Amino acid sequence: MLLTIQPEELTEHWYEVFEKIEWTELLLFLFYVTCIFLVRAVVLAISRRLSKKRMFRHVDSILRSLLNWATTYGILLFMIFYFSDSDWMFDRLFEFGNVEITAFLLILVILIVSLANRGAKIITRYILPNVYQRYHLDRGVSYTFDRMFHYTVMAIAILVSLTTVGLDLSALTVFAGVLGVGIGFGLQNIASNFISGIILLFERPIKVGDRVIIDDLIGDVDKISLRSTVIKTIHNEHVIVPNSYFLEEQVINRSYGDPRMRLVVPVGVAYGTDAEKIKRVLLQAAQEEHQEGGVVLLDPEPFVNFSAFGESSLDFELMVWIANSNQVITTKSALNFRINRLFAEQNIEIPFPQRDLHIKSMPEIAGE
């Protein structure tokens, strides 16, 4: 067993530790901490007033972040120095393996891990984006580097904190065995999603910013974590999908490799309409849309497909290539508006379904 103190002995030991605490000193420390929070509240109130002015618009957010940083780590460091002469700070709370865990070691571990976490976030938010911009890395590659950098820093911080307290890492093999049994019996899905998340970050069949289709659900990949992926739909809804789904099921990725996409706009005209005229008008619509927005491409060239002789119409399809698959809906709507206007100018009729009804004369009823 890693914990060498029995529950009864542990309770009695902690009672002895509590007896060593100088409560006057502790109350004075709490008073100082309260004063720190009061000063923080006053400074934040002043910054909120200043942020209402245009020239100090960003002061509140910046100052709030700095105060949170200073308050958290200031209190931890102040606690270490303030109680540096107190016996209870360095008295054993419990034993983990052959290491005596004290309050000082616990505070030190929290300090190291939290500083590493905050430092990794600052680097990924303010420093690495400049590197990505310099080397023209896309959003998906940048996100992958950010995640792997954060996980690496946190793993190193945890190892350093455990080493700092003198913990023998070989003692963690017991937990590794328990974890393996847990995965074998009840954590298969969690382990599968975890491994799938690592594969997605490295292999990148999908990446942040890709437009994907999952079971008729269209959305953009917003975030890839180690367990799940967040999809933001075109209706601004967020769908959380397990990572294993992307490796086990069929997923359409419109942004994979080439962002270009072919768009098909079906249209029907009345029988008797000149088919060559319809072709010219549809190609004119594609040409005008290219000149206005640039999303419709002229290379490959637009193509008009005479698809079928329908029940009530001649069916055509305008096939164009667009530069960005994320603009499928807006481009198709713009082409429909343009085609409808051009048809009205050229007096081209868009038919509605028609049916011919033939009535046969009824035979005379016998005896009438």
Side-chain angles (χ1 to χ4, degrees):
M1 297 295 291
L2 293 177
L3 291 176
T4 59
I5 303 179
Q6 299 300 324
E8 297 81 3
E9 298 177 356
L10 189 62
T11 303
E12 183 180 353
H13 178 72
W14 283 354
Y15 180 75
E16 295 176 355
V17 173
F18 289 148
E19 284 186 336
K20 297 180 180 179
I21 297 177
E22 297 181 5
W23 295 104
T24 303
E25 185 181 29
L26 180 60
L27 291 175
L28 187 59
F29 170 77
L30 294 177
F31 172 75
Y32 291 149
V33 171
T34 304
C35 292
I36 293 174
F37 278 105
L38 288 176
V39 172
R40 176 180 178 274
V42 172
V43 174
L44 287 178
I46 296 174
S47 68
R48 278 193 294 267
R49 288 181 174 272
L50 292 176
S51 63
K52 295 179 181 179
K53 299 181 180 181
R54 187 174 182 179
M55 61 181 302
F56 299 104
R57 185 167 46 189
H58 302 293
V59 170
D60 184 57
S61 59
I62 298 175
L63 190 58
R64 184 182 297 273
S65 178
L66 292 176
L67 284 176
N68 290 336
W69 174 287
T71 303
T72 303
Y73 300 108
I75 290 176
L76 289 176
L77 291 175
F78 177 62
M79 185 176 182
I80 292 176
F81 289 108
Y82 185 81
F83 295 109
S84 60
D85 297 331
S86 300
D87 295 336
W88 64 269
M89 176 67 78
F90 302 93
D91 200 359
R92 182 191 64 183
L93 297 178
F94 56 88
E95 290 185 2
F96 194 83
N98 297 323
V99 179
E100 294 184 354
I101 304 300
T102 64
F104 173 78
L105 293 179
L106 291 178
I107 296 174
L108 193 60
V109 168
I110 295 174
L111 194 61
I112 293 174
V113 174
S114 59
L115 277 174
N117 180 56
R118 186 63 63 90
K121 288 183 178 180
I122 291 176
I123 293 175
T124 55
R125 180 175 298 179
Y126 299 106
I127 299 178
L128 291 182
N130 297 326
V131 178
Y132 302 148
Q133 186 177 4
R134 178 179 180 180
Y135 292 98
H136 307 288
L137 300 180
D138 60 35
R139 184 183 174 191
V141 176
S142 303
Y143 183 86
T144 301
F145 277 125
D146 285 346
R147 291 294 88 198
M148 298 313 302
F149 176 79
H150 182 79
Y151 297 146
T152 302
V153 170
M154 292 306 299
I156 294 175
I158 293 174
L159 292 177
V160 169
S161 62
L162 294 179
T163 307
T164 302
V165 301
L167 183 64
D168 185 6
L169 297 181
S170 62
L172 298 179
T173 55
V174 177
F175 289 102
V178 173
L179 181 61
V181 174
I183 292 175
F185 284 99
L187 302 178
Q188 297 95 332
N189 291 335
I190 296 177
S192 175
N193 291 324
F194 179 82
I195 297 174
S196 299
I198 297 177
I199 294 175
L200 291 178
L201 289 174
F202 279 100
E203 186 178 337
R204 300 174 66 237
I206 63 169
K207 59 184 183 296
V208 173
D210 283 357
R211 174 64 58 89
V212 296
I213 303 178
I214 303 175
D215 295 334
D216 298 327
L217 183 68
I218 303 176
D220 299 324
V221 179
D222 188 61
K223 179 182 179 181
I224 301 177
S225 61
L226 288 181
R227 193 195 65 83
S228 61
T229 297
V230 179
I231 306 296
K232 183 179 180 180
T233 69
I234 57 177
H235 304 294
N236 201 30
E237 299 172 337
H238 291 78
V239 182
I240 301 175
V241 183
N243 287 331
S244 59
Y245 181 90
F246 295 97
L247 301 181
E248 299 173 356
E249 303 293 336
Q250 180 176 349
V251 178
I252 298 177
N253 187 352
R254 286 181 170 177
S255 306
Y256 189 80
D258 192 348
R260 299 179 304 170
M261 178 181 176
R262 192 178 73 170
L263 176 62
V264 179
V265 182
V267 63
V269 299
Y271 274 95
T273 308
D274 185 0
E276 294 297 328
K277 181 179 181 180
I278 298 300
K279 180 179 180 180
R280 290 194 299 270
V281 171
L282 292 178
L283 291 178
Q284 179 184 349
Q287 179 71 29
E288 292 180 359
E289 190 63 29
H290 167 75
Q291 294 176 354
E292 180 172 328
V295 179
V296 174
L297 303 176
L298 298 183
D299 184 21
E301 296 181 355
F303 173 73
V304 177
N305 179 34
F306 192 161
S307 59
F309 294 92
E311 293 184 0
S312 305
S313 63
L314 302 176
D315 297 333
F316 294 85
E317 292 176 337
L318 173 60
M319 299 181 177
V320 297
W321 285 85
I322 60 177
N324 190 349
S325 61
N326 292 347
Q327 298 180 344
V328 170
I329 296 178
T330 56
T331 305
K332 187 173 184 179
S333 176
L335 285 172
N336 283 330
F337 275 110
R338 195 174 298 277
I339 291 171
N340 183 70
R341 178 178 57 81
L342 292 175
F343 277 11
E345 293 175 356
Q346 299 293 330
N347 296 319
I348 299 175
E349 180 183 356
I350 299 178
F352 52 86
Q354 300 179 10
R355 297 290 184 270
D356 292 332
L357 181 62
H358 300 276
I359 301 177
K360 295 184 178 180
S361 58
M362 299 294 293
E364 296 182 358
I365 299 177
E368 181 179 8

